[in-house]
Amino acid sequence: MLTLQCPYCGVMADETELHAEGEAHIKRFGPGSSDEDFETYLFERKNPKGVHFERWRHTGGCGKFFHAARSTMTLEVYGTYPAQTLEPPKELIDAIKAKHPDWEGYK
């Protein structure tokens, strides 16, 4: 079972207390955007084999959104951080690169 630590309340929560909200760090488009931008937002997603950055919500706890970095192959969690962060923290990127030197980054 997947277990993530909420960066706000510090609780180690299993996936029954959380809700996956999709890919992290995507530009969201809504009313007033071009059809092309809105289509890209709705349908184009990364689906990597390996390290992936996701948006989660601690629904069974504080209710806040946060981001998590994990492996889609092993479910290994590299870390979590607040959703208001525009890019993954440098320490998290460094930790991932230390384990996976050939990793090309999150963008």
Side-chain angles (χ1 to χ4, degrees):
M1 180 171 284
L2 185 61
T3 303
L4 301 171
Q5 183 172 17
C6 177
Y8 297 102
C9 62
V11 170
M12 290 297 290
D14 68 47
E15 59 191 289
T16 63
E17 297 179 47
L18 304 167
H19 188 266
E21 298 285 337
E23 186 178 331
H25 304 291
I26 59 171
K27 183 169 175 81
R28 289 166 166 76
F29 291 95
S33 62
S34 71
D35 289 345
E36 183 179 308
D37 285 341
F38 191 60
E39 178 183 13
T40 299
Y41 162 67
L42 281 179
F43 300 112
E44 291 185 22
R45 295 286 188 268
K46 296 176 187 171
N47 189 17
K49 182 177 180 180
V51 179
H52 189 53
F53 292 85
E54 302 170 323
R55 181 177 172 93
W56 288 82
R57 184 168 183 220
H58 191 186
T59 54
C62 66
K64 295 186 177 180
F65 289 93
F66 64 93
H67 292 160
R70 71 175 184 93
S71 171
T72 58
M73 294 170 46
T74 64
L75 297 184
E76 178 182 6
V77 177
Y78 301 103
T80 60
Y81 53 100
Q84 293 76 18
T85 307
L86 298 178
E87 293 185 352
K90 182 179 180 340
E91 311 82 54
L92 183 57
I93 296 292
D94 291 345
I96 294 168
K97 284 185 178 178
K99 282 193 153 187
H100 306 282
D102 58 336
W103 181 61
E104 296 179 9
Y106 78 98
K107 289 188 179 185

